[in-house]
């Protein structure tokens, strides 16, 4: 049950990091309302696919080794988009 909560936290972190980065990029454009979903959904699809695969393996009662690659995909997206958001924060918030 602990692994389930860790999985939920990491997945939420990935979704939030991607969402904040993409929204920050689209905030300064004229068509930000259109650009945000166009960029967001393709970037979120690997995270959502990985989350579904992990849940499937967890519900089947399989070991960590069966879904470790999917968890690594989510962790990589979390780290990469958190770093991108951190590095581009000053540029995005300038007006």
């Amino acid at each position: 049950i602990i692994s389930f909560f860790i999985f939920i936290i990491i997945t939420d972190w990935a979704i939030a990091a991607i969402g904040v980065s993409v929204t920050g990029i689209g905030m300064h454009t004229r068509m930000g309302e259109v650009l945000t979903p166009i960029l967001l959904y393709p970037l979120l699809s690997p995270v959502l696919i990985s989350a579904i695969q992990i849940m499937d393996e967890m519900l089947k009662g399989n070991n960590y080794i069966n879904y470790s690659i999917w968890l690594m995909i989510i962790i990589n997206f979390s780290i990469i988009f958190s770093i991108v958001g951190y590095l581009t924060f000053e540029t995005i918030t300038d007006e």
Side-chain angles (χ1 to χ4, degrees):
I1 193 147
I2 297 282
S3 62
F4 176 73
F5 286 118
I6 292 171
F7 155 69
I8 292 295
I9 289 170
I10 291 172
T11 305
D12 286 343
W13 175 26
I15 292 171
I18 294 170
V20 168
S21 297
V22 169
T23 303
I25 292 168
M27 187 170 61
H28 291 297
T29 62
R30 290 177 62 200
M31 299 289 287
E33 296 85 16
V34 177
L35 182 65
T36 300
I38 289 173
L39 291 176
L40 184 66
Y41 294 132
L43 290 173
L44 277 180
S45 61
V47 173
L48 296 177
I49 291 169
S50 299
I52 290 168
Q53 294 295 328
I54 291 171
M55 281 303 301
D56 184 40
E57 296 295 329
M58 281 185 172
L59 290 175
K60 288 179 184 175
N62 292 334
N63 293 334
Y64 167 76
I65 197 72
N66 292 332
Y67 58 86
S68 63
I69 187 70
W70 298 108
L71 191 60
M72 292 301 147
I73 291 172
I74 294 176
I75 290 171
N76 283 330
F77 269 81
S78 301
I79 292 170
I80 289 169
F81 279 97
S82 293
I83 291 171
V84 166
Y86 178 75
L87 293 176
T88 60
F89 179 76
E90 290 293 325
T91 306
I92 290 172
T93 56
D94 282 344
E95 288 194 42

